[in-house]
Every structure is written in C-alpha cells, then in structure tokens.
Amino acid sequence: MGCALSGTGLDPGKAAGDVNGPVPRSEAAGSELIASDSDPPLPLSEQQKELIRQSWVVLHQDIARVGIIMFIRLFETHPECKDVFFLFRDIDDLQQLKMSKELQSHGLRVMSFIEKSVARLEQEDKLEQLAFELGRSHCRYNAPPKYYEYVGVQFIAVVKPILKEKWTANVEEAWEGLFDYLTWTMKRGYHDAEQSNNINQSSHTKRRAQSGLKANQNAV
C-alpha cells in the first residue's frame, strides 16, 4: 500500500496465507509487500481479523508516535518518497522532521485510515469503498501507486517492538494480508481515477478542436 497518503501536504503538481504460522511474506519478499494489480489478495480469515483487532487495541494507545516513526523510517529507506510531499521535500534533517507539526498531522491521518480499516473488517463493502476512494484521491495529488506498499512494510517494522511478545508470525501474516488488500484496492482506485481523467481530457481536447474547426468555418 500503500502509501496511505492523504491530500493535505501532498504536492498537487507532482491476503494472508495459512494462519498456522507460515514464513512472513515481508521476509520472503525482501521486506517489501507486493500487491498484484490484477489478482486480488486472498481474503483474511476470521482468526486473522481477530488478531488484527486485538493488536490494534494495544497500538491505538500510541498511534501518534507510530505515525511519526513510520514516516521517518519511510523517508530513511525510500528518500524518493519525499518528492511527493512538498512540505517535507527540502528537509534533510530527520530530527527536524520528527518535530514537524505537519508530519505529525499527516502521520495521524494515516493512522486514522488504518483505524477505520480495522473497524470495517466485518464490513467488506465499506472497507473496499474506503480504500478505493483513498486511491482515487491519491491520483489527484500524483502520489504514485508504487509507494503504497511501502507504508505497510514500515508500519509492521514499527509496531513489532511495541507489541513485543504479542507480536507473532501469525499476527504479522494477518497485518500483511490487510495491507495487501488495502494496497491492491487503492491501486484500483488510483487507476480508475486516472482513466476517468484521461477520458475527460480527451473529451475536452475534442471539444476544443471541434470549436476551433467551427470558428474557422464561420470565418470563411
């Protein structure tokens, strides 16, 4: 996914497998989740949904700190992501970034999206709509889909030490499955908005061409 980026601060010019404990996909894929643009991820099991809800109860107590650390790690591991954020693009000092009110606000918005996603685990139509519309909004701000999956990777890296012994391979697999789904759905939303924009631009260009042709004919 993600990236789960929201509008403010972006530059407008610019499923889980076996719950019995398989090797986490973030390790198997070189710590990078991959969501296919064509094949939907496997659905989460009821056990996995419950694991996500249980761990979120603990994480919710520290969401502001998780949001900040998640983005600092994101900019450390993928500095090119800063190009999407005009507010942070020219800040190279990570300590200065940690103190940024704008980054704190953006981190909280991303965590709010994750919270809403967890709350909709049993309402798949609402969860899909939430992620799909977020993907569409990313298209307006030119936040490329290639960044979305990085958010899930960094989220997992941050929350592992917070949950300590409560973090297991099964919990990791459950969260990976959720982020796979969110990323996949956001990409669908992005491409849907992109296609709509292309159609609208094509129609606008055609109307202008027809208007110009009509004006030339009247001038003859």
Side-chain angles (χ1 to χ4, degrees):
M1 168 168 81
C3 139
L5 309 176
S6 60
T8 304
L10 294 178
D11 188 348
K14 301 284 299 179
D18 188 348
V19 296
N20 291 324
V23 176
R25 279 169 293 173
S26 60
E27 296 177 8
S31 298
E32 189 165 297
L33 300 179
I34 299 174
S36 170
D37 288 328
S38 56
D39 299 326
L42 296 174
L44 293 172
S45 69
E46 290 304 315
Q47 295 98 319
Q48 289 174 316
K49 293 177 184 178
E50 184 59 26
L51 286 173
I52 290 173
R53 283 190 288 262
Q54 289 175 1
S55 56
W56 181 254
V57 171
V58 178
L59 297 174
H60 183 266
Q61 302 172 17
D62 216 8
I63 57 175
R65 186 167 69 93
V66 171
I68 286 288
I69 298 175
M70 182 173 64
F71 271 98
I72 294 298
R73 284 182 56 92
L74 178 65
F75 294 152
E76 283 180 325
T77 56
H78 299 282
E80 71 276 11
C81 291
K82 285 176 61 179
D83 291 339
V84 182
F85 299 85
F86 68 90
L87 291 175
F88 317 137
R89 186 183 304 156
D90 298 326
I91 302 178
D92 295 323
D93 187 345
L94 294 180
Q95 290 300 320
Q96 182 180 350
L97 263 180
K98 289 180 181 180
M99 303 303 295
S100 168
K101 296 295 184 183
E102 290 81 5
L103 184 60
Q104 292 175 19
S105 296
H106 193 75
L108 281 173
R109 284 194 293 273
V110 173
M111 296 304 290
S112 176
F113 167 71
I114 296 174
E115 181 175 30
K116 291 176 182 177
S117 299
V118 173
R120 288 163 174 76
L121 287 175
E122 297 298 341
Q123 301 170 302
E124 295 181 6
D125 56 335
K126 292 184 178 181
L127 178 59
E128 179 181 17
Q129 181 180 12
L130 177 71
F132 189 84
E133 290 302 323
L134 186 60
R136 286 184 58 86
S137 70
H138 280 54
C139 184
R140 294 197 299 271
Y141 294 95
N142 286 337
K146 64 181 181 179
Y147 296 139
Y148 302 169
E149 60 199 38
Y150 299 158
V151 174
V153 174
Q154 299 309 324
F155 174 86
I156 287 175
V158 172
V159 301
K160 277 183 181 182
I162 295 176
L163 289 176
K164 299 178 181 177
E165 70 278 358
K166 294 181 180 179
W167 186 266
T168 66
N170 289 343
V171 172
E172 182 161 345
E173 188 74 7
W175 277 104
E176 285 178 340
L178 176 59
F179 278 108
D180 275 352
Y181 175 78
L182 295 176
T183 299
W184 180 79
T185 307
M186 285 181 62
K187 286 182 177 181
R188 285 177 50 227
Y190 180 96
H191 293 310
D192 180 78
E194 187 177 48
Q195 184 177 29
S196 296
N197 291 342
N198 290 339
I199 291 175
N200 291 337
Q201 290 174 1
S202 178
S203 298
H204 180 67
T205 301
K206 185 177 181 180
R207 286 196 299 270
R208 289 188 61 182
Q210 290 174 339
S211 177
L213 178 61
K214 185 176 181 180
N216 290 336
Q217 290 174 340
N218 292 337
V220 174

